[in-house]
Amino acid sequence: MRDFRHDLSGLALNTATLGHNMEGAGRGWSPERTIEACARRGIGGIVFWRREIEGRAAAIGAHARAAGVRVVGLCRAPFLVGPLAFRSEGEVRDDFYRAIDQTAELGGDILTIVVGGVQPGTKGVGESLGLVGQYVADAANRAASVGVRLALEPLHPVYGGDRSCLVTTRDALDLCERIGADNLGIAIDVYHVWWDTDLPRQLARAGGRILGFHLCDWLAHTADVLLDRGMMGDGVADLVAIRAAVEQAGYQGYCEVEIFSANNWWKRDPAEVLDVMIERFRTVC
Amino acid sequence: MRDFRHDLSGLALNTATLGHNMEGAGRGWSPERTIEACARRGIGGIVFWRREIEGRAAAIGAHARAAGVRVVGLCRAPFLVGPLAFRSEGEVRDDFYRAIDQTAELGGDILTIVVGGVQPGTKGVGESLGLVGQYVADAANRAASVGVRLALEPLHPVYGGDRSCLVTTRDALDLCERIGADNLGIAIDVYHVWWDTDLPRQLARAGGRILGFHLCDWLAHTADVLLDRGMMGDGVADLVAIRAAVEQAGYQGYCEVEIFSANNWWKRDPAEVLDVMIERFRTVC
């Protein structure tokens, strides 16, 4: 298991952690300011959201490279199915392609996919997962042509209805195997998988398919499943055990901190959040 | 698969469905009135909560029997572990025994167990599940001596932190096998397991261990994971497929409707709720 106590090169910031997405609140740093704050602290990588880089992807990517911060990837492809997806298949596909192209413009390696919930008019996750498979198989070709890898992220089962019919590492790997594209893998986020006693077995099966590893924590008393994630160490997830299993499977990529926290971390000074994040990464992950 | 279109003898009401637990709101029927309303409609069984029968278990049980309504069981044993459990092991055990005795006094067959969340000071679910196993192994003996069966209910993973470190059917069956008591089994609630593509495989493995089957629905946009359950047919769970798998495993017991719904069903006339419940049971389950 890698030792990060004195080395932050394996740490990446997902900009959501600084509350970028409190739209209209007038808070949050610009991409450039965030890049510089990461560079100054020795944070190795950064992951942006599409809304932040819209129309400026190439310039922001160049800024990061010049600062010595690796653009790890982009969040995220559109919902492919479910009640929150675009209405038409054409719109879904076009926006999926657009996200792939933006990832490439940014100079990022990985586009994360949150698949969307249960397709209206159907029951259970089966049919929806089938549709997801079709979209992803198609997009994997497009992504390969521009050097982008796709990471299917299973979300916590609480999002099963509206945001992700893909809720287990097992199902994500099944989908990868069914599609069989070389540039397709999974992202493991401790928030979504911490409860799953089948996780070690699945990770062992995943091997090189693990393209991303996300850190935060699950608070014992979660007030809001969307916007009340905990800082590493403040919750009940066994972060050390999960990282050990992920690395045992061969993963040597970034540990990406992604914390949505409307009433705690997003209310703090971003500089403080970064400093706490670093301290926790060194000591409890 | 059983045909319930013209037969309600397999339907049971969990009294939570009528909003009994809006404590202090001055609403909800008495146990006797609820029993009579069930009897009048041909509903075969009823499941009470401890707070409703406190000090009157034997009389309420007799009332139900006289009315021709079977007391299926009692909700529930105390949290055994986690932040919401009693402080001392002695208190947990005493209250567990008390719940077992109340089930027997009521003339009920099954006591449902919701195990509690992650034990403070530990990470992940492993250690907590180990503690649960010790409590349950001990209580199973006590329960056997008074003719009560214990049903471990895996809850949805969203409750993993505070209410139930037991979040999958797989883990519940593992626990049953490890303990090996004849009067120990599991309760399957569609709300908690609808997302799990491993469910059919686990149910096939469960065989005679399925002691309860609970119905409601998972709303695609769930506003509150505790108190916003849907009526059967209003959500995304594949109720027919789950019941088919449960019965395929050999289950021939009651289908127990349990809906916590602070802002919808609990605001309605209990008679209306019963009538809608029956209609949905006949048509979409």
Side-chain angles (χ1 to χ4, degrees), chain A residues 163-183:
Chain A
R163 291 175 175 266
S164 180
C165 59
L166 184 70
V167 295
T168 62
T169 306
R170 184 188 62 246
D171 289 346
L173 289 171
D174 285 351
L175 213 44
C176 286
E177 287 174 7
R178 207 152 64 234
I179 296 169
D182 286 342
N183 63 330

Side-chain angles (χ1 to χ4, degrees), chain A residues 84-262:
Chain A
L84 302 175
F86 289 110
R87 291 290 177 89
S88 78
E89 284 180 38
E91 284 172 295
V92 171
R93 198 193 51 235
D94 290 350
D95 196 63
F96 202 163
Y97 283 7
R98 205 154 154 269
I100 290 167
D101 294 345
Q102 283 174 321
T103 309
E105 281 166 40
L106 193 60
D109 178 34
I110 294 159
L111 174 66
T112 301
I113 305 171
V114 171
V115 304
V118 173
Q119 187 73 347
T122 74
K123 299 286 185 180
V125 298
E127 270 184 80
S128 304
L129 287 174
L131 290 168
V132 166
Q134 294 172 28
Y135 280 117
V136 172
D138 169 65
N141 288 326
R142 167 74 162 231
S145 73
V146 293
V148 166
R149 294 191 288 172
L150 302 178
L152 283 165
E153 182 169 5
L155 296 201
H156 191 287
V158 72
Y159 303 115
D162 52 359
R163 291 175 175 266
S164 180
C165 59
L166 184 70
V167 295
T168 62
T169 306
R170 184 188 62 246
D171 289 346
L173 289 171
D174 285 351
L175 213 44
C176 286
E177 287 174 7
R178 207 152 64 234
I179 296 169
D182 286 342
N183 63 330
L184 177 63
I186 64 172
I188 296 295
D189 186 319
V190 296
Y191 192 78
H192 300 308
V193 304
W194 73 272
W195 54 270
D196 187 359
T197 57
D198 195 35
L199 185 66
R201 203 168 65 91
Q202 294 301 329
L203 292 177
R205 166 192 167 200
R209 291 244 188 243
I210 306 174
L211 303 185
F213 176 55
H214 304 176
L215 285 168
C216 68
D217 212 335
W218 180 277
L219 300 175
H221 300 293
T222 294
D224 178 325
V225 292
L226 202 56
L227 301 179
D228 188 29
R229 293 191 184 195
M231 179 62 74
M232 296 84 78
D234 291 343
V236 297
D238 193 342
L239 303 179
V240 174
I242 298 174
R243 182 161 78 82
V246 163
E247 296 193 8
Q248 180 70 29
Y251 183 76
Q252 294 288 314
Y254 288 91
C255 299
E256 172 187 336
V257 176
E258 182 180 33
I259 301 173
F260 301 83
S261 170

Side-chain angles (χ1 to χ4, degrees), chain B:
Chain B
M1 200 167 163
R2 294 175 289 174
D3 181 353
F4 291 125
R5 276 173 301 177
H6 309 290
D7 172 17
L8 300 180
S9 63
L11 174 63
L13 171 76
N14 183 304
T15 57
T17 305
L18 303 188
H20 73 88
N21 42 6
M22 296 184 67
E23 286 172 342
R27 277 211 293 282
W29 288 346
S30 68
E32 287 81 358
R33 189 170 170 193
T34 307
I35 288 165
E36 281 147 27
C38 287
R40 208 157 39 238
R41 288 169 175 81
I43 294 170
I46 193 163
V47 175
F48 289 106
W49 286 66
R50 290 171 70 190
R51 72 191 86 168
E52 300 160 345
I53 57 134
E54 202 69 61
R56 302 201 299 131
I60 291 171
H63 195 105
R65 279 186 293 282
V69 178
R70 172 76 175 275
V71 178
V72 179
L74 185 63
C75 287
R76 59 181 176 67
F79 292 126
L80 308 176
V81 290
L84 303 175
F86 288 111
R87 292 290 178 89
S88 78
E89 284 181 37
E91 284 173 293
V92 171
R93 198 193 51 236
D94 290 351
D95 195 63
F96 203 163
Y97 283 7
R98 205 155 154 269
I100 290 166
D101 294 346
Q102 284 176 321
T103 309
E105 280 166 40
L106 192 61
D109 177 35
I110 295 160
L111 174 66
T112 301
I113 305 172
V114 172
V115 304
V118 174
Q119 187 72 349
T122 74
K123 299 284 185 182
V125 298
E127 269 184 79
S128 304
L129 287 174
L131 290 168
V132 166
Q134 294 172 28
Y135 280 117
V136 172
D138 168 65
N141 289 326
R142 168 73 161 230
S145 73
V146 293
V148 166
R149 294 191 289 173
L150 302 178
L152 283 165
E153 183 170 4
L155 296 201
H156 192 286
V158 72
Y159 304 115
D162 52 0
R163 291 174 176 265
S164 180
C165 60
L166 184 69
V167 295
T168 62
T169 305
R170 184 187 62 245
D171 289 346
L173 289 171
D174 285 351
L175 213 45
C176 287
E177 286 174 7
R178 207 151 64 234
I179 296 169
D182 286 341
N183 63 330
L184 177 64
I186 64 173
I188 296 295
D189 186 319
V190 297
Y191 192 78
H192 300 308
V193 305
W194 74 272
W195 52 271
D196 186 359
T197 57
D198 195 34
L199 185 67
R201 203 169 65 91
Q202 295 300 329
L203 291 177
R205 166 191 168 203
R209 291 247 188 241
I210 306 173
L211 303 185
F213 177 56
H214 303 174
L215 285 169
C216 67
D217 213 333
W218 180 277
L219 299 175
H221 301 293
T222 293
D224 177 327
V225 293
L226 202 56
L227 301 179
D228 187 29
R229 295 193 184 193
M231 179 62 74
M232 296 85 79
D234 290 344
V236 297
D238 193 342
L239 304 178
V240 174
I242 298 174
R243 182 161 78 82
V246 164
E247 296 192 10
Q248 181 70 29
Y251 184 76
Q252 294 288 313
Y254 288 91
C255 299
E256 174 188 335
V257 176
E258 182 181 33
I259 301 173
F260 302 83
S261 170
N263 289 315
N264 184 356
W265 298 100
W266 287 358
K267 290 194 166 167
R268 306 197 192 194
D269 177 355
E272 180 200 348
V273 176
L274 287 180
D275 292 338
V276 174
M277 170 184 104
I278 288 171
E279 168 63 18
R280 298 294 180 86
F281 180 63
R282 285 185 159 137
T283 55
V284 302
C285 299

